[in-house]
Amino acid sequence: MDQNNNRQPGKSGRNPKKDPAIFRYSISLNAEENARFLSLFEQSQMNVMAHFITACIFQKTIKTVKIDKAAMDYYMRLTTLYGQFRSVGVNYNQIVKLLYRNFSEKKAAAYLYKLEKHTAEMAVLCQKIIQITGEFEAKYIKNNK
């Protein structure tokens, strides 16, 4: 029993900090101020609210990210449309091969002429999409930066 009492306790637990934060402050906010504070905290994308508050107090730069849902939706749909245009191009090559393989030269040329008309219409549509995209970027994307 005496041997157990003479032992030095082992060092366990967390290492102590060199400069621990021991001072606490408390503030009270009304409902409107709290809502505004929480929205600023969410925009900053910080994980710890205490870090956000100290950054605000000492006027450190606070990172806020604003995501434009309309722009993201537009680009997602534009990407989908671009994928569809690519698949149309692949299908176009396959159709031309099948036309010349399965039909006579004259009949294949007639079908190819119709296909060419629709392709020209699609090219005009593609130019309109590029124009609208340019206008959208000029109006919404560049102004938000």
Side-chain angles (χ1 to χ4, degrees):
M1 269 307 272
D2 289 330
Q3 291 176 349
N4 288 343
N5 289 339
N6 292 338
R7 280 184 29 194
Q8 295 290 330
K11 185 177 179 183
S12 62
R14 181 185 296 188
N15 290 333
K17 293 182 177 180
K18 292 179 184 175
D19 187 21
I22 56 173
F23 302 101
R24 289 183 169 253
Y25 296 94
S26 175
I27 60 168
S28 298
L29 303 173
N30 62 22
E32 181 183 325
E33 292 170 338
N34 187 48
R36 187 172 168 208
F37 171 76
L38 290 176
S39 69
L40 287 172
F41 174 65
E42 288 175 7
Q43 287 176 3
S44 72
Q45 292 186 341
M46 288 183 153
N47 295 328
V48 182
M49 196 175 289
H51 294 168
F52 173 72
I53 293 170
T54 52
C56 289
I57 291 171
F58 296 116
Q59 297 178 352
K60 295 179 183 174
T61 57
I62 300 168
K63 181 178 117 182
T64 57
V65 177
K66 201 173 200 179
I67 299 172
D68 189 1
K69 299 285 184 186
M72 284 187 60
D73 187 44
Y74 179 78
Y75 274 106
M76 286 176 20
R77 291 176 188 263
L78 188 65
T79 303
T80 305
L81 186 64
Y82 178 71
Q84 290 175 352
F85 268 108
R86 288 185 61 197
S87 65
V88 165
V90 170
N91 291 341
Y92 186 87
N93 288 338
Q94 292 173 352
I95 287 174
V96 170
K97 287 179 185 177
L98 286 173
L99 283 176
Y100 281 110
R101 187 181 315 152
N102 295 332
F103 295 107
S104 67
E105 189 83 20
K106 191 174 182 181
K107 202 169 196 181
Y111 284 128
L112 197 57
Y113 177 74
K114 289 180 184 179
L115 184 63
E116 220 172 284
K117 277 186 174 178
H118 291 295
T119 304
E121 290 174 11
M122 201 165 70
V124 170
L125 181 65
C126 186
Q127 290 298 323
K128 285 182 184 177
I129 290 170
I130 291 171
Q131 177 190 357
I132 291 171
T133 301
E135 291 172 6
F136 181 81
E137 285 179 350
K139 198 180 267 187
Y140 295 106
I141 305 296
K142 305 263 170 78
N143 290 340
N144 291 335
K145 288 186 179 178

